[in-house]
Amino acid sequence: MFNKINSTLLLFSICFLSCKEAKKENTIQNQEIEISLKKSYNGDFLIGTALNTGQIKEVDAKQTTLITKEFNAITPENDLKWEQIHPEKDTYNFEVSDAYVAFGKKNNMHVVGHTLLWHSQLAPWVNEIKNKDTLVNQITKHINTIAGRYKGKIDSWDVVNEALNEDGTPRESIFYKLFGDESYLELAFKLAAKAAPDAELVYNDYNLWKPAKREGVIRVVKNLQAKGIKIDGVGMQAHWSIEGPSIEDIENSIIAYSDLGVKVMFTELDVTALPNPWELDGAAVEQSYERYEGDPKMDPYVDGLTEEAKQKIAKRYEDIFNLFLKHKDKISRVTFWGVNDGQSWLNDWPINGRTNYPLLFGRDNKPKEVYNNVIALKNKAK
């Protein structure tokens, strides 16, 4: 009888310890599953990504799971740009944009509208407009219709995109030429504020780390503020490389824009390790260098990054996110321009057909080592 009781107690102890270990293992696994960019940087700034049409339509369940797990802000790559959403004078395509907004709201995400006014990716019919009054009417109709449709649903609008040259002077777009000055920015921000009164309104551009271009942005923001026109933020596109821009230049711009009393957002972050033509300056989509296509010197990592290149990208991202954390009181959002490397526009820009690795997730949608580095930075800061 005594041996029988001992055996039962021994069996119970073994079962108890096994169950305890199993529970501990499940807890660890669950903690690992819960690690994500958005949770790691919760309370610092939003972590966003740009979605293509397939991702908006949820055609790949694995990508949908990745997007909803890692990010709490979304931007459409192309589907709210004029040529897509308003291709003809009296024709609007709302199917994908409606799905985009619904996706964001379903998943409790900050929804960005990109973009209301941009000289590039315009519908062809807009470029045929020859006088200011007609253009004013069409801009008014465009913004009222689109921003009005998503009133209370889109949280932030890139109202005007890329209105400046590299030296900070006004870009001679169709808008500037027909208006004769930069007053089209005033019109756009006024219309957006009325059509979407609860949305934050942003001026978005690339190379805003450059001192001369920085001064141009400061001029634009101060002009709007002086006239009582709502502007809530400056969106710094961040199409950077392992070589530059310098952390100091980026930091100087963060401080300068924040001093204007507006939020700072990094709206299109990616880091390339690929070489680009020496004369390349900026991130204008119309830039192309066909003569370099197929040149192995310009596409050195077809079979994958070398360890040295991986370390350079990792170090670059660490430096960037250390800066973001330093100024988290000024920065409201950091958005990666794409979910994974395969999706990145940098595979085809400025040289078509290259293999690039500028994001935190690989072509298989799995986190790369640099992802772990970015997460670890936040853990070190705690």
Side-chain angles (χ1 to χ4, degrees):
M1 180 70 178
F2 182 75
N3 288 338
K4 196 171 184 180
I5 292 172
N6 277 349
S7 298
T8 302
L9 288 172
L10 180 61
L11 187 63
F12 176 81
S13 297
I14 292 171
C15 180
F16 175 79
L17 290 171
S18 297
C19 291
K20 188 175 181 180
E21 286 301 313
K23 186 177 181 180
K24 182 179 178 182
E25 185 177 342
N26 286 336
T27 300
I28 292 172
Q29 288 176 347
N30 287 336
Q31 287 174 344
E32 290 176 350
I33 291 171
E34 289 302 313
I35 292 173
S36 69
L37 290 167
K38 70 179 182 182
K39 289 189 175 181
S40 295
Y41 286 86
N42 182 41
D44 299 320
F45 36 73
L46 296 169
I47 297 287
T49 189
L51 304 184
N52 62 29
T53 305
Q55 290 159 344
I56 291 169
K57 292 184 174 181
E58 302 184 58
V59 299
D60 185 324
K62 288 183 179 179
Q63 283 197 12
T64 300
T65 298
L66 172 63
I67 292 162
T68 55
K69 174 179 178 288
E70 296 290 341
F71 304 104
N72 50 18
I74 52 173
T75 301
E77 276 188 329
N78 292 302
D79 290 294
L80 266 75
K81 291 173 182 174
W82 199 314
E83 69 175 358
Q84 298 290 333
I85 200 168
H86 192 182
E88 302 292 342
K89 187 175 179 180
D90 297 311
T91 301
Y92 292 86
N93 292 332
F94 291 124
E95 178 188 359
V96 181
S97 57
D98 283 353
Y100 164 73
V101 171
F103 179 90
K105 292 307 173 186
K106 178 176 66 175
N107 293 293
N108 196 31
M109 293 171 155
H110 180 91
V111 180
V112 179
H114 178 76
T115 171
L116 288 172
L117 212 60
W118 186 28
H119 68 276
S120 188
Q121 291 183 253
L122 272 175
W125 66 270
V126 181
N127 285 310
E128 295 173 3
I129 296 173
K130 301 301 180 184
N131 67 79
K132 178 182 175 180
D133 289 342
T134 302
L135 185 59
V136 167
N137 290 336
Q138 292 305 322
I139 289 173
T140 301
K141 182 179 179 182
H142 180 81
I143 292 178
N144 285 345
T145 301
I146 297 168
R149 182 181 184 88
Y150 299 116
K151 176 182 177 182
K153 297 177 181 179
I154 283 182
D155 303 297
S156 177
W157 275 106
D158 292 337
V159 180
V160 178
N161 198 48
E162 301 176 5
L164 299 175
N165 295 316
E166 295 304 282
D167 62 358
T169 58
R171 181 191 292 273
E172 290 196 11
S173 64
I174 180 176
F175 310 117
Y176 182 83
K177 289 176 181 177
L178 292 187
F179 274 74
D181 53 31
E182 291 181 290
S183 60
Y184 70 91
L185 283 94
E186 300 170 19
L187 174 65
F189 275 90
K190 281 181 181 178
L191 291 169
K194 187 174 181 180
D198 298 326
E200 61 181 12
L201 306 183
V202 178
Y203 173 74
N204 191 60
D205 210 330
Y206 59 80
N207 282 353
L208 297 194
W209 54 269
K210 288 186 173 183
K213 202 164 188 178
R214 181 192 306 147
E215 290 306 312
V217 175
I218 291 171
R219 183 192 73 248
V220 166
V221 173
K222 283 186 173 180
N223 177 62
L224 293 172
Q225 292 173 332
K227 295 182 178 181
I229 300 170
K230 180 183 176 183
I231 178 169
D232 300 299
V234 171
M236 296 180 65
Q237 294 179 25
H239 300 299
W240 298 333
S241 78
I242 57 174
E243 305 296 337
S246 72
I247 293 298
E248 181 183 8
D249 279 332
I250 300 168
E251 182 171 33
N252 288 339
S253 285
I254 292 172
I255 294 169
Y257 301 143
S258 179
D259 285 347
L260 295 172
V262 298
K263 300 175 185 177
V264 179
M265 301 121 189
F266 289 89
T267 56
E268 304 180 21
L269 176 60
D270 45 37
V271 175
T272 182
L274 297 186
N276 280 328
W278 67 268
E279 66 267 37
L280 177 68
D281 187 21
V285 294
E286 61 268 19
Q287 289 175 297
S288 177
Y289 294 85
E290 294 180 3
R291 64 186 179 278
Y292 291 109
E293 288 182 21
D295 185 344
K297 291 181 181 179
M298 289 293 180
D299 194 14
Y301 305 119
V302 175
D303 298 321
L305 290 174
T306 62
E307 283 304 313
E308 181 183 10
K310 287 179 183 178
Q311 291 304 314
K312 285 182 178 179
I313 287 183
K315 178 63 166 59
R316 182 65 166 153
Y317 265 116
E318 287 174 14
D319 291 345
I320 288 167
F321 269 83
N322 272 325
L323 178 66
F324 291 169
L325 286 170
K326 179 180 178 181
H327 292 288
K328 63 183 182 180
D329 60 318
K330 305 173 184 67
I331 298 169
S332 63
R333 173 167 52 91
V334 174
T335 292
F336 293 90
W337 202 243
V339 176
N340 63 50
D341 287 340
Q343 172 191 353
S344 174
W345 73 303
L346 292 173
N347 293 298
D348 295 307
W349 184 93
I351 301 168
N352 191 50
R354 296 197 295 177
T355 308
N356 216 324
Y357 308 86
L359 299 168
L360 303 191
F361 297 91
R363 286 164 169 76
D364 57 2
N365 294 310
K366 294 180 180 179
K368 293 151 54 177
E369 186 177 346
V370 64
Y371 168 91
N372 297 325
N373 292 2
V374 170
I375 295 288
L377 280 179
K378 179 56 185 172
N379 292 335
K380 286 178 185 176
K382 289 180 180 178

